[in-house]
Amino acid sequence: MKRREFVAATAAAVLYAAPSDTPAILGGAPVRAQKFPSWPVSTEQEEQALLSVLRSKHWNRGGAVDKFEKTYASLTGTKHCLAVANGTASLITSLGVLGIGPGDEVIVPAYTFVATINAVLLYGAMPVFVDTDAETFQIDHRKIEAAITPRTVAIIPVHLGGGSFDVDAVLEIAQRRKVVVIEDACQSHLAEWKGRKVGSYGTTGCFSFQASKNLNCGEGGALITNDTDFYEKAFAFHNNGRPSSSSRFSYGSPGANLRLTDFQGALLLAQMSRLESQARTRETNAAYLTTMLREIPGIAPAKTPVGCTRNAYHLYMFRYDPAQFAGMEREGFLKALKLEGIPGDDGYEPLNREAFIRAKLTDRGGARVYSKERIREWDERNALPVNDKLCKEAVWFTQTMLLGPRADMDHMAEAIRKIQRNAAAVKAKLA
Ligand SMILES: *Cc1c(COP(=O)(O)O)cnc(C)c1O
C-alpha cells in the first residue's frame, strides 16, 4: 500500500470508527435507521376473505366463525372452542359460567394486563394477587397455596408474554385444594407446556385476538375447553343466555351479547395461515437474541420455564440493571435505545397497587360484602416485593420486532452494547 493510500485508509477508518461508537443521543449515527416489520401482516387473502363475508350479507356470527372455532379447537387439541368478542369477554364468560360472585376470592398474578383482574372485579369478586417470579416474569407458583382461603373459587394464572407459568405446579395445587383453573392465554397462542398447547390444561383457556396479539382480527377472543357442559353454558352465556343460536325467547341463565362477527372469523382464518411460520421466525430470532443478550452484564433475559416446550414470544422481556450501566436509570436507557432505532417498553406498573381496585372493593356494593377486617387482610396480603422490583427493572421488545431478519437482532444487541460502552457519557447527557 502506498503512503497516500495508507493515510487515506486510516483517516477513513478513524472517521468511520469514531461516530459509529458514539451513541445517537450524543450525536453519533444510530445503529439502525430502518423500521421494524409492520403489524399486522395482510395480503389479498384477507381482502378476499372480508369481501366474501360482505357479499354473503351474513355479517354476524355464522359460517366463518363456526369454521374458525373448529380450526382453533383442532389447533389447540381441545374438544371445543367458543369465539367471543374479545379476550376480556372470554374471561367474563368463563367466570360467568362458573358463577363467580360477590365475596368470592380469585387468585391472579400481579404482572399482567388489567383485563385479567377487571373480569374478577366486574362480578364483585375479590382479586387476590400473588407475587411474580423475577426469573421468568410468570406467577410465582410457590406462593399460590398460601393465598388460598376457604373463599377461593378459582385461579386465573396468566401465560405471560408468550411463555407459560408452571402448569404442573398450578394444576397440582388446584386439584388438591379444589379450585378451578382458568388459564389466561391471551398472550400465548401456540405456546406449549410439555408438548401440549397452553389453554388446554385448565377448565378453560382464554385467548385474545386484539390488534397487538400474535393472532389478530382487530378485536376478538376465544375460549377453549374439553368440558362439553362448560362449553354449552359458555355458548349460552355469550348469547344472552340463549342455549343455541336457533332457540327462541327462553333463557336458562344470565349472559350478554359477546358474539364475534363473521368478518372477524374470516380475518382470523386468513391470519391463521401465517401463524405457524411467524411463530417459528420469532422463536429462531428470540433464541439468537438471547445468546447475545445474556453475555451483556446487567441484561437478564426472562427465562422460559423448563416445562414450557414452546414459547410464542408475544413479548421479548428482560431485566435491566442500572449498576452495570454507570447507574443510568431505565428511562434514560430506553431513551438512548430509542435514538439508536430500537424501541423498548418499560412494561407493566404494579397492578396490585392500582387505587381503583381497592376503591371497587370498598364502594357501596363492595362495603355490603367486604368487612373492614377483610379489606385490612387484603391490604396485608397485597405486599408483593418481587413484583414491585421487577416492574422497575423490566424492558420489553414487542413481538413484531422478532419478525424480521436475523440482522435486526444484531442491531438490538449492538445498540445495548454501545450504550453500555458509553454509559457514563450517556448518563451525563441525560442528567
Ligand atoms: C390482551 C389481554 C387480555 C384482554 O384481551 P382483549 O382482547 O384486549 O380484551 C387479557 N389478558 C391478557 C394477559 C392480555 O394480554
Side-chain angles (χ1 to χ4, degrees):
M1 194 188 280
K2 286 187 189 133
R3 196 185 118 81
R4 210 176 37 194
E5 281 169 9
F6 176 76
V7 170
T10 323
V14 168
L15 274 177
Y16 180 71
S20 84
D21 201 49
T22 305
I25 196 169
L26 298 173
V31 165
R32 182 183 172 85
Q34 55 287 44
K35 288 213 163 17
F36 282 96
S38 68
W39 186 259
V41 179
S42 170
T43 67
E44 211 173 287
Q45 207 183 332
E46 275 75 9
E47 291 172 22
Q48 285 309 321
L50 287 175
L51 262 180
S52 88
V53 175
L54 187 72
R55 288 176 181 154
S56 78
K57 312 248 170 159
H58 190 108
W59 297 349
N60 58 342
R61 191 195 152 100
V65 170
D66 289 344
K67 187 167 177 207
F68 167 73
E69 290 175 336
K70 285 203 180 69
T71 313
Y72 204 67
S74 110
L75 181 71
T76 53
T78 46
K79 268 196 211 147
H80 307 284
C81 169
L82 177 73
V84 290
N86 52 63
T88 312
S90 66
L91 291 162
I92 288 174
T93 302
S94 297
L95 292 171
V97 170
L98 294 168
I100 304 288
D104 289 341
E105 292 179 11
V106 178
I107 292 177
V108 290
Y111 202 75
T112 182
F113 181 59
V114 66
T116 313
I117 64 120
N118 268 337
V120 177
L121 284 175
L122 287 172
Y123 284 101
M126 176 183 261
V128 174
F129 289 97
V130 167
D131 213 348
T132 311
D133 173 44
E135 297 272 304
T136 62
F137 288 54
Q138 307 293 334
I139 189 169
D140 189 339
H141 57 271
R142 293 159 300 194
K143 296 179 180 166
I144 291 177
E145 185 138 29
I148 296 178
T149 74
R151 294 172 297 238
T152 308
V153 179
I155 312 178
I156 315 181
V158 176
H159 297 285
L160 196 84
S164 172
F165 59 83
D166 190 320
V167 173
D168 292 353
V170 171
L171 288 181
E172 190 278 318
I173 297 164
Q175 274 154 15
R176 194 159 38 74
R177 302 297 302 269
K178 299 194 169 41
V179 294
V180 175
V181 176
I182 299 165
E183 296 177 69
D184 181 339
C186 284
Q187 301 185 358
S188 290
H189 322 79
L190 293 189
E192 290 175 7
W193 176 263
K194 297 197 170 164
R196 196 171 124 188
K197 295 282 184 297
V198 305
S200 69
Y201 283 94
T203 294
T204 171
C206 298
F207 291 87
S208 166
F209 311 125
Q210 181 270 341
S212 71
K213 305 290 159 85
N214 296 18
L215 178 59
N216 148 40
C217 62
E219 301 284 0
L223 62 83
I224 56 174
T225 182
N226 285 313
D227 179 337
T228 301
D229 181 54
F230 184 93
Y231 165 77
E232 280 166 3
K233 286 176 174 156
F235 184 95
F237 187 96
H238 103 302
N239 197 33
N240 264 318
R242 300 170 78 184
S244 84
S245 42
S246 59
S247 66
R248 299 264 316 149
F249 300 108
S250 74
Y251 318 93
S253 68
N257 175 3
L258 304 172
R259 295 183 299 259
L260 197 72
T261 70
D262 253 22
F263 289 109
Q264 292 152 303
L267 208 42
L268 285 170
L269 284 165
Q271 292 279 301
M272 274 174 80
S273 67
R274 281 175 227 107
L275 186 62
E276 177 60 32
S277 69
Q278 287 166 338
R280 275 199 220 122
T281 305
R282 288 188 199 98
E283 272 177 292
T284 310
N285 277 332
Y288 177 58
L289 184 60
T290 299
T291 61
M292 292 189 288
L293 296 197
R294 68 175 171 223
E295 298 304 319
I296 304 177
I299 301 295
K303 289 202 173 116
T304 300
V306 181
C308 179
T309 45
R310 188 172 205 195
N311 189 325
Y313 287 102
H314 175 61
L315 300 168
Y316 187 95
M317 307 180 287
F318 60 88
R319 280 175 293 142
Y320 166 80
D321 179 7
Q324 300 291 337
F325 288 76
M328 185 193 319
E329 292 302 324
R330 178 182 57 175
E331 303 319 315
F333 168 73
L334 286 173
K335 189 172 173 195
L337 201 56
K338 187 160 185 234
L339 291 168
E340 297 297 342
I342 314 291
D345 196 287
D346 60 1
Y348 296 130
E349 302 278 341
L351 193 53
N352 56 313
R353 295 180 179 280
E354 285 286 344
F356 85 90
I357 299 171
R358 201 179 184 287
K360 173 70 186 152
L361 295 173
T362 55
D363 71 3
R364 189 184 62 246
R368 295 189 210 274
V369 178
Y370 302 108
S371 65
K372 289 214 168 67
E373 175 60 15
R374 250 186 106 176
I375 296 296
R376 196 186 56 74
E377 276 172 23
W378 186 82
D379 284 337
E380 266 170 25
R381 292 198 281 171
N382 202 25
L384 308 176
V386 179
N387 190 66
D388 286 349
K389 186 159 180 277
L390 181 66
C391 287
K392 293 198 183 100
E393 297 172 338
V395 175
W396 299 350
F397 294 146
T398 58
Q399 51 99 359
T400 56
M401 293 167 75
L402 301 174
L403 285 175
R406 191 177 163 102
D408 289 4
M409 308 306 114
D410 291 316
H411 289 155
M412 285 142 87
E414 178 49 22
I416 296 173
R417 283 190 228 113
K418 187 181 173 191
I419 293 166
Q420 187 164 58
R421 286 195 295 271
N422 298 281
V426 172
K427 191 190 169 204
K429 169 79 180 178
L430 286 160

